[in-house]
Amino acid sequence: MITTSFFLFAFTVLVNGFACKDAKLVQANGFFFSGLHLMGNTSNAVGSQATPVTVAQLPGLNTPGILMARIDFAPWGINPPHTHPRATEILTVIEGSIQVGFVTSNPENRLINKVLEKGDVFVFPEGLVHFQRNIGYGNAIAIAIVGLSSQNPDVITVANAIFGAKPDIPNDLLAKAFQADVKVVDQIQSKF
Amino acid sequence: MITTSFFLFAFTVLVNGFACKDAKLVQANGFFFSGLHLMGNTSNAVGSQATPVTVAQLPGLNTPGILMARIDFAPWGINPPHTHPRATEILTVIEGSIQVGFVTSNPENRLINKVLEKGDVFVFPEGLVHFQRNIGYGNAIAIAIVGLSSQNPDVITVANAIFGAKPDIPNDLLAKAFQADVKVVDQIQSKF
Amino acid sequence: MITTSFFLFAFTVLVNGFACKDAKLVQANGFFFSGLHLMGNTSNAVGSQATPVTVAQLPGLNTPGILMARIDFAPWGINPPHTHPRATEILTVIEGSIQVGFVTSNPENRLINKVLEKGDVFVFPEGLVHFQRNIGYGNAIAIAIVGLSSQNPDVITVANAIFGAKPDIPNDLLAKAFQADVKVVDQIQSKF
Amino acid sequence: MITTSFFLFAFTVLVNGFACKDAKLVQANGFFFSGLHLMGNTSNAVGSQATPVTVAQLPGLNTPGILMARIDFAPWGINPPHTHPRATEILTVIEGSIQVGFVTSNPENRLINKVLEKGDVFVFPEGLVHFQRNIGYGNAIAIAIVGLSSQNPDVITVANAIFGAKPDIPNDLLAKAFQADVKVVDQIQSKF
Amino acid sequence: MITTSFFLFAFTVLVNGFACKDAKLVQANGFFFSGLHLMGNTSNAVGSQATPVTVAQLPGLNTPGILMARIDFAPWGINPPHTHPRATEILTVIEGSIQVGFVTSNPENRLINKVLEKGDVFVFPEGLVHFQRNIGYGNAIAIAIVGLSSQNPDVITVANAIFGAKPDIPNDLLAKAFQADVKVVDQIQSKF
Amino acid sequence: MITTSFFLFAFTVLVNGFACKDAKLVQANGFFFSGLHLMGNTSNAVGSQATPVTVAQLPGLNTPGILMARIDFAPWGINPPHTHPRATEILTVIEGSIQVGFVTSNPENRLINKVLEKGDVFVFPEGLVHFQRNIGYGNAIAIAIVGLSSQNPDVITVANAIFGAKPDIPNDLLAKAFQADVKVVDQIQSKF
């Protein structure tokens, strides 16, 4: 199971000396996070785990936030198709071989994909559906940086949004949208 | 008389009359579109058709654009699940009964849905997957307004991005993501 | 299953389902407005009435809001010259014949105008003084979409701001500005 | 006559060393303007003159521009009601006594006004109609700073936009808007 | 030592009529500051004093703020090297002769400098280290306008940040950075 | 000396399907960078080297860019005090022990510092002077992510800007600013 809990503290006052009377109280720990060297638990349905960094963010109204996460992949683990509506993502491979891809928007819907090795970096453009999967024989590790154009990057996992919505999106509508039988839709919906 | 002449160099587009040395050439037709009263052709797989308005956009760097479209629905026509990564949408029903819905992001994935009648208005929050379908006995018409937080709202139709990507997203990855058989994935991919 | 819990503190408004700990409480009615098919009461001095849609606005810091209104015009009713300092406007004619116009800024002050029929759409650039009037024999209806570059589009009706300010703008100053007699200014001020 | 010619050079490259290969060519004169101590010629219908500063502006996409101007007023000279759709203005009195005011937007239309003396500073909120006039016995001088939320502040002089539009805004529409006789409108239009 | 205390009032509601139910309470004094004609006390180590204007700021989320200050210089007084991370500055000389300069960023580090006389204006690009000094025989006065790209311009005086940090930045690190002896660093640190 | 050459490709068109007719030409390599696993050459005066990632950037007007770099430190190597006027930085330690610090702005100038080990992450707030140094016995490696609020983060190395400006900042001014002898200033300037 991928558990991604971002704790964004949107301070209204911060570290510069004169707009903020609490400058004296600023502590190094407020800018610090420990543990990105620890492996995440990938024993789940998709074989991957994101460990987000929960550092405090600067709150300036026009200041873009930055989030980062370590992603661990079991052999053949995947990070299923998802989007960040308001964020560009940069992925760096620390260990292993990871296939990555994103799909351009209408009407092209082209799959842009690439196999990444250690030291490779890839950018997923803002808002587009993208995925990763481990295609090596061992574990793989990546660092994902997500830069926000707004205060909250958001994550929408496509399969969950479409087939796991609560209550269900009407099955006949999905059947039409995916040009599949209603019973295929029912079957997939039952898994989520 | 006050004569205020602004000479802005390096503007590349110029529909507004005031920031541009071609102000004398501005014509009303540059701000005008005709034909939103005409019905779109809904004889297609999803039974709906969007007729976008192609008015010139204001080019100011920080000026949000606005797009609008007439959407016609055959009886039981649908506008399949899709997202606008950088745009909020307002839908107004002009004629008929239309069920609308959107799905909240992770981890809730709640379906928020409503049946709209003539004169009803509904907002789809930025970046979320949403859909519409005609649930009346006759045709339905809606006006959709899409307000951009960037210059281009973009449309990502989920089914096309996932199952219609060219080249295909690997079928085993999709099978894992949707918790379905590879052959079900193959079958759906073959339709797109 | 992917569990992504964003805890955003310090958001003051929360209509979207995903950036807010009250995501479970989101209701469809928060995104819904009913009544745009109802005619506004045009029995007033200018023979027109705007019925604004009061849907909840998305609160993202950089997210442009969108407002819409139905505008009803009695025969020869007008929507007097006004500006939205921080908003572009798109007007769609639903019924009738409406003359529309805007005036470019200094030093040109050109009037850009056009007669619109049913299905026609017109854009009024951000910040410019604009007006509409019914030039048909019956009632006219338009839908106005106002897209904000900031959170609040604002409306400034020129006549009210100039001659209806409370307290009055000094009449001799207005006389100079409009190159008219002080008593003409007095007379107009007395109407507001 | 007030002739306000702003020459905004919107450089695409600038002074920082590594995003711009022309950094070596940067010269101090590109950031320099001389002449703000010189009096403007106020022999015109409104008895005032704005002398704008034409320094080069930093071109960053999100960087707000700043403009400034010296405004000279003959005794009882006025700067007639006008708006800057996308700019806040700060006025500092260098010499003399100047009455300033702005009118809030609909529905209040309150006149906020104040008499300023040497060393006084006043802020005109973005987009609102405002004016100044010399109420002393001698000349008056002010420095106006206009901060842009977009690249171009724009100026709309109300009287010119309403009664001096070319071609004319229909006189019967203006008569209705200002609740005045058509012949009063004709008379004012004839002056512009 | 220059003590620059900006008092930024970040109102959340303002002067436009319908987004703010307190429009009736708006008072002219909220937009007003008095005292820019008064000389600051320059009896300090650097021989200069900044007197900031504390006018209320417009709070729109995307509205750039504007700050201004009068800066007095004793003969040969300096305003030591400093930066405003998020603000462009325009300086106008009211009296005297002031040498100004800024240094471009890596890798050029070019000094762009100029001697300004009464009526001269100079722009310091956003974020660059800059300074001023009186090079005349009498006092000098300048008006500095600081335009913010975010809500708070911030001031970082280089000497104070580097040698006056509390606790000290390690002296051996500074020795390496400035390619100087550790005891030179110690000596400078002891002054702050 | 650290030579930080960022190559920013500011594409004007991109990957979404309908705002760009070149969508068909998008290639995976445009989003790809290889080589972050390679050690930089730290044989220089400060004993550190930044290897920037030169991935293509998304060009949306309001889209914040993201830059990243690998920073190698020889034992006791330092990354001298510097600022990014328009960027927040996140540093992750991949190997070794690195002391990091930043100094708050006026009037506090507090040093906030911390020793980081492998897997630790630290945030440097936008615009503040900061530094790093290796305090372990072997080499150290960090990944720095710099998130831009504008299109170009910029780097200003304090020592270079102050003592290495070309031409020199006047030595007597620096002597005053740093409260040091002119000959100390001369000596430091001679090294740059």
Side-chain angles (χ1 to χ4, degrees), chain B residues 85-103:
Chain B
R86 290 177 299 284
T88 300
E89 179 176 336
I90 296 186
L91 191 96
T92 307
V93 176
I94 302 297
E95 204 173 292
S97 295
I98 300 178
Q99 183 190 21
V100 300
F102 65 86
V103 182

mmCIF file of all heavy atoms in Angstrom, chain B residues 85-103:
data_model
loop_
_atom_site.group_PDB
_atom_site.id
_atom_site.type_symbol
_atom_site.label_atom_id
_atom_site.label_comp_id
_atom_site.label_asym_id
_atom_site.label_seq_id
_atom_site.Cartn_x
_atom_site.Cartn_y
_atom_site.Cartn_z
ATOM 1 N N PRO B 85 -6.275 20.044 -16.550
ATOM 2 C CA PRO B 85 -5.284 20.180 -15.477
ATOM 3 C C PRO B 85 -5.210 21.575 -14.878
ATOM 4 O O PRO B 85 -4.901 21.725 -13.711
ATOM 5 C CB PRO B 85 -3.970 19.819 -16.166
ATOM 6 C CG PRO B 85 -4.345 18.995 -17.336
ATOM 7 C CD PRO B 85 -5.695 19.495 -17.770
ATOM 8 N N ARG B 86 -5.457 22.575 -15.669
ATOM 9 C CA ARG B 86 -5.244 23.936 -15.160
ATOM 10 C C ARG B 86 -6.476 24.801 -15.350
ATOM 11 O O ARG B 86 -6.371 25.957 -15.701
ATOM 12 C CB ARG B 86 -4.058 24.575 -15.896
ATOM 13 C CG ARG B 86 -2.725 23.980 -15.551
ATOM 14 C CD ARG B 86 -1.610 24.584 -16.361
ATOM 15 N NE ARG B 86 -1.773 24.371 -17.785
ATOM 16 C CZ ARG B 86 -1.537 23.223 -18.399
ATOM 17 N NH1 ARG B 86 -1.113 22.184 -17.721
ATOM 18 N NH2 ARG B 86 -1.718 23.095 -19.685
ATOM 19 N N ALA B 87 -7.677 24.251 -15.106
ATOM 20 C CA ALA B 87 -8.865 25.054 -15.364
ATOM 21 C C ALA B 87 -10.056 24.588 -14.550
ATOM 22 O O ALA B 87 -10.304 23.389 -14.398
ATOM 23 C CB ALA B 87 -9.215 24.994 -16.851
ATOM 24 N N THR B 88 -10.782 25.554 -14.049
ATOM 25 C CA THR B 88 -12.075 25.324 -13.432
ATOM 26 C C THR B 88 -13.126 25.390 -14.526
ATOM 27 O O THR B 88 -12.957 26.108 -15.498
ATOM 28 C CB THR B 88 -12.334 26.431 -12.386
ATOM 29 O OG1 THR B 88 -11.312 26.367 -11.413
ATOM 30 C CG2 THR B 88 -13.686 26.274 -11.728
ATOM 31 N N GLU B 89 -14.218 24.634 -14.383
ATOM 32 C CA GLU B 89 -15.267 24.656 -15.414
ATOM 33 C C GLU B 89 -16.613 24.959 -14.783
ATOM 34 O O GLU B 89 -16.943 24.434 -13.724
ATOM 35 C CB GLU B 89 -15.306 23.293 -16.128
ATOM 36 C CG GLU B 89 -16.383 23.199 -17.194
ATOM 37 C CD GLU B 89 -16.347 21.877 -17.952
ATOM 38 O OE1 GLU B 89 -15.267 21.242 -17.998
ATOM 39 O OE2 GLU B 89 -17.392 21.459 -18.480
ATOM 40 N N ILE B 90 -17.392 25.815 -15.451
ATOM 41 C CA ILE B 90 -18.777 26.070 -15.036
ATOM 42 C C ILE B 90 -19.686 25.614 -16.160
ATOM 43 O O ILE B 90 -19.512 26.020 -17.307
ATOM 44 C CB ILE B 90 -19.043 27.567 -14.787
ATOM 45 C CG1 ILE B 90 -18.199 28.082 -13.627
ATOM 46 C CG2 ILE B 90 -20.516 27.793 -14.481
ATOM 47 C CD1 ILE B 90 -18.531 29.527 -13.244
ATOM 48 N N LEU B 91 -20.662 24.776 -15.838
ATOM 49 C CA LEU B 91 -21.585 24.260 -16.847
ATOM 50 C C LEU B 91 -22.990 24.785 -16.578
ATOM 51 O O LEU B 91 -23.490 24.690 -15.453
ATOM 52 C CB LEU B 91 -21.600 22.726 -16.791
ATOM 53 C CG LEU B 91 -22.314 22.056 -17.959
ATOM 54 C CD1 LEU B 91 -21.267 21.665 -19.009
ATOM 55 C CD2 LEU B 91 -23.086 20.839 -17.512
ATOM 56 N N THR B 92 -23.625 25.320 -17.592
ATOM 57 C CA THR B 92 -25.002 25.795 -17.475
ATOM 58 C C THR B 92 -25.894 24.992 -18.417
ATOM 59 O O THR B 92 -25.571 24.859 -19.600
ATOM 60 C CB THR B 92 -25.093 27.278 -17.885
ATOM 61 O OG1 THR B 92 -24.144 28.015 -17.131
ATOM 62 C CG2 THR B 92 -26.483 27.831 -17.645
ATOM 63 N N VAL B 93 -26.987 24.464 -17.902
ATOM 64 C CA VAL B 93 -27.897 23.685 -18.749
ATOM 65 C C VAL B 93 -28.871 24.623 -19.446
ATOM 66 O O VAL B 93 -29.565 25.411 -18.800
ATOM 67 C CB VAL B 93 -28.651 22.634 -17.925
ATOM 68 C CG1 VAL B 93 -29.657 21.896 -18.804
ATOM 69 C CG2 VAL B 93 -27.665 21.655 -17.311
ATOM 70 N N ILE B 94 -28.884 24.561 -20.770
ATOM 71 C CA ILE B 94 -29.794 25.384 -21.570
ATOM 72 C C ILE B 94 -31.070 24.614 -21.877
ATOM 73 O O ILE B 94 -32.155 25.186 -21.946
ATOM 74 C CB ILE B 94 -29.103 25.798 -22.900
ATOM 75 C CG1 ILE B 94 -27.811 26.571 -22.629
ATOM 76 C CG2 ILE B 94 -30.045 26.607 -23.789
ATOM 77 C CD1 ILE B 94 -27.993 27.881 -21.915
ATOM 78 N N GLU B 95 -30.913 23.310 -22.011
ATOM 79 C CA GLU B 95 -32.072 22.488 -22.376
ATOM 80 C C GLU B 95 -31.837 21.049 -21.941
ATOM 81 O O GLU B 95 -30.725 20.527 -22.101
ATOM 82 C CB GLU B 95 -32.222 22.533 -23.908
ATOM 83 C CG GLU B 95 -33.632 22.241 -24.403
ATOM 84 C CD GLU B 95 -33.719 22.480 -25.909
ATOM 85 O OE1 GLU B 95 -33.605 23.656 -26.324
ATOM 86 O OE2 GLU B 95 -33.851 21.495 -26.647
ATOM 87 N N GLY B 96 -32.865 20.399 -21.399
ATOM 88 C CA GLY B 96 -32.765 18.986 -21.053
ATOM 89 C C GLY B 96 -32.347 18.726 -19.622
ATOM 90 O O GLY B 96 -32.266 19.649 -18.797
ATOM 91 N N SER B 97 -32.084 17.437 -19.328
ATOM 92 C CA SER B 97 -31.689 16.990 -17.987
ATOM 93 C C SER B 97 -30.331 16.319 -18.084
ATOM 94 O O SER B 97 -30.175 15.337 -18.814
ATOM 95 C CB SER B 97 -32.696 15.976 -17.432
ATOM 96 O OG SER B 97 -33.947 16.585 -17.245
ATOM 97 N N ILE B 98 -29.375 16.825 -17.360
ATOM 98 C CA ILE B 98 -28.007 16.319 -17.475
ATOM 99 C C ILE B 98 -27.479 15.935 -16.102
ATOM 100 O O ILE B 98 -27.513 16.738 -15.171
ATOM 101 C CB ILE B 98 -27.085 17.402 -18.106
ATOM 102 C CG1 ILE B 98 -27.585 17.769 -19.514
ATOM 103 C CG2 ILE B 98 -25.641 16.933 -18.159
ATOM 104 C CD1 ILE B 98 -26.781 18.866 -20.202
ATOM 105 N N GLN B 99 -27.018 14.669 -16.006
ATOM 106 C CA GLN B 99 -26.362 14.263 -14.763
ATOM 107 C C GLN B 99 -24.885 14.618 -14.874
ATOM 108 O O GLN B 99 -24.242 14.335 -15.879
ATOM 109 C CB GLN B 99 -26.504 12.757 -14.536
ATOM 110 C CG GLN B 99 -25.891 12.314 -13.206
ATOM 111 C CD GLN B 99 -25.799 10.801 -13.081
ATOM 112 O OE1 GLN B 99 -25.819 10.098 -14.085
ATOM 113 N NE2 GLN B 99 -25.694 10.308 -11.854
ATOM 114 N N VAL B 100 -24.361 15.247 -13.835
ATOM 115 C CA VAL B 100 -22.953 15.638 -13.852
ATOM 116 C C VAL B 100 -22.274 15.082 -12.613
ATOM 117 O O VAL B 100 -22.924 14.803 -11.611
ATOM 118 C CB VAL B 100 -22.774 17.170 -13.856
ATOM 119 C CG1 VAL B 100 -23.425 17.792 -15.083
ATOM 120 C CG2 VAL B 100 -23.359 17.781 -12.574
ATOM 121 N N GLY B 101 -20.974 14.919 -12.680
ATOM 122 C CA GLY B 101 -20.256 14.425 -11.509
ATOM 123 C C GLY B 101 -18.773 14.674 -11.616
ATOM 124 O O GLY B 101 -18.234 14.838 -12.704
ATOM 125 N N PHE B 102 -18.127 14.758 -10.451
ATOM 126 C CA PHE B 102 -16.659 14.764 -10.434
ATOM 127 C C PHE B 102 -16.206 13.897 -9.264
ATOM 128 O O PHE B 102 -16.978 13.619 -8.344
ATOM 129 C CB PHE B 102 -16.071 16.176 -10.349
ATOM 130 C CG PHE B 102 -16.365 16.933 -9.090
ATOM 131 C CD1 PHE B 102 -15.561 16.779 -7.954
ATOM 132 C CD2 PHE B 102 -17.423 17.836 -9.030
ATOM 133 C CE1 PHE B 102 -15.830 17.507 -6.795
ATOM 134 C CE2 PHE B 102 -17.691 18.550 -7.869
ATOM 135 C CZ PHE B 102 -16.889 18.389 -6.749
ATOM 136 N N VAL B 103 -14.943 13.463 -9.315
ATOM 137 C CA VAL B 103 -14.410 12.567 -8.293
ATOM 138 C C VAL B 103 -13.284 13.297 -7.567
ATOM 139 O O VAL B 103 -12.376 13.830 -8.208
ATOM 140 C CB VAL B 103 -13.873 11.270 -8.929
ATOM 141 C CG1 VAL B 103 -13.353 10.325 -7.849
ATOM 142 C CG2 VAL B 103 -14.955 10.602 -9.765
#
